[in-house]
Amino acid sequence: MGQDDDAPAERFTDEEYAFLRFVRFGQLPERILPSQMVEEIKTDLPQDVPERAFDARKWGEAGGL
């Protein structure tokens, strides 16, 4: 057992790797230039999360996890 046992059996050129990426993922969208980018500002208020998802008095033992 030599050091090359873990090496791939085939070696691909950069063009072959590019073709395999294209076959697997398709064509990428055009690059967006920094001058075309816009800053996104979130305006929705964060949702309040209740401390408990249910009231044990209302659901009894069946609602316990």
Side-chain angles (χ1 to χ4, degrees), residues 36-58:
Q36 297 171 325
M37 295 181 188
V38 295
E39 184 176 351
E40 182 178 299
I41 300 172
K42 299 207 181 240
T43 58
D44 292 338
L45 297 174
Q47 298 292 322
D48 292 333
V49 179
E51 291 182 21
R52 293 190 60 110
F54 63 92
D55 185 357
R57 293 172 293 185
K58 180 177 178 183

Side-chain angles (χ1 to χ4, degrees), residues 2-43:
Q3 293 178 348
D4 293 320
D5 290 340
D6 294 332
E10 297 183 52
R11 303 240 183 231
F12 295 109
T13 64
D14 289 342
E15 291 82 16
E16 290 171 326
Y17 275 124
F19 175 74
L20 292 173
R21 278 192 302 272
F22 175 77
V23 168
R24 183 171 182 187
F25 300 110
Q27 186 169 349
L28 295 175
E30 293 294 320
R31 181 173 180 255
I32 297 176
L33 300 174
S35 62
Q36 297 171 325
M37 295 181 188
V38 295
E39 184 176 351
E40 182 178 299
I41 300 172
K42 299 207 181 240
T43 58

